[in-house]
Amino acid sequence: AEKDHYGFPMLVDDSIERMKRKQRVHAGDRSHEQLVALDALHLTYWGWQNDKGEAEKDHYNCPSLVDGSIEKMKRKQLVHANGRVHPQLIALDALHLTYWGWQNDKAEAEKDHYGCPSLVDDSIERMKRKQRVHAGDRSHEQL
């Protein structure tokens, strides 16, 4: 915080709050709603320990990211426990793609399902457009 005072005085308050959050946890206080929510998660998917650790770091450094991280972990656990039953994953799995680079596009869309699900429907439509063009359909008015 002292270093911020000289170079970036507007960051001092944030640095102090971050230190206070760390100190509370160090003293055994995990009563903050974000930590309670993290502790309540029952996760078994591969890599959950890393995700949970990153979310806890976010609690200290950038608390506004924690709720999104919790939702991401819940979606990963749902797939791990129940398979690919979410409508977005079903739609992704139903795509029959052959255009160059479709594997990367599909992997990115699946990644978005966990991290930013609002992007997935647009990604699916973009992949369908790419496939239509690849198959020779140039009927779209913009083509």
Side-chain angles (χ1 to χ4, degrees):
E2 190 171 324
K3 185 170 50 172
D4 288 339
H5 170 73
Y6 300 119
F8 304 98
M10 69 292 265
L11 298 178
V12 172
D13 290 340
D14 289 341
S15 293
I16 291 170
E17 283 305 310
R18 185 172 37 254
M19 286 186 284
K20 286 179 180 178
R21 284 190 295 271
K22 286 181 178 181
Q23 183 59 39
R24 283 192 293 269
V25 172
H26 177 73
D29 179 1
R30 295 185 65 83
S31 63
H32 189 280
E33 64 186 54
Q34 289 180 332
L35 296 175
V36 170
L38 278 170
D39 292 343
L41 294 173
H42 299 288
L43 305 171
T44 58
Y45 66 87
W46 185 86
W48 70 267
Q49 298 94 334
N50 291 337
D51 290 346
K52 199 169 183 179
E54 287 299 312
E56 193 161 322
K57 283 183 198 173
D58 287 343
H59 168 72
Y60 303 129
N61 299 318
C62 194
S64 63
L65 298 178
V66 175
D67 292 340
S69 295
I70 290 172
E71 289 306 311
K72 182 178 179 179
M73 288 185 279
K74 286 179 179 178
R75 284 190 292 277
K76 285 184 174 184
Q77 183 61 34
L78 180 66
V79 169
H80 175 72
N82 300 327
R84 299 173 64 84
V85 297
H86 190 279
Q88 287 181 332
L89 296 176
I90 292 170
L92 277 170
D93 291 344
L95 294 173
H96 300 289
L97 306 171
T98 58
Y99 67 86
W100 186 85
W102 70 267
Q103 297 94 335
N104 290 338
D105 290 348
K106 198 169 183 180
E108 281 299 311
E110 187 165 333
K111 184 177 166 188
D112 286 341
H113 168 73
Y114 299 112
C116 195
S118 62
L119 298 178
V120 175
D121 293 336
D122 288 340
S123 295
I124 289 172
E125 289 307 310
R126 185 172 50 255
M127 287 185 279
K128 287 178 180 179
R129 285 192 304 273
K130 285 182 173 184
Q131 183 61 36
R132 283 193 298 271
V133 170
H134 175 72
D137 179 356
R138 300 187 58 80
S139 62
H140 193 279
E141 64 187 38
Q142 292 178 337
L143 297 173

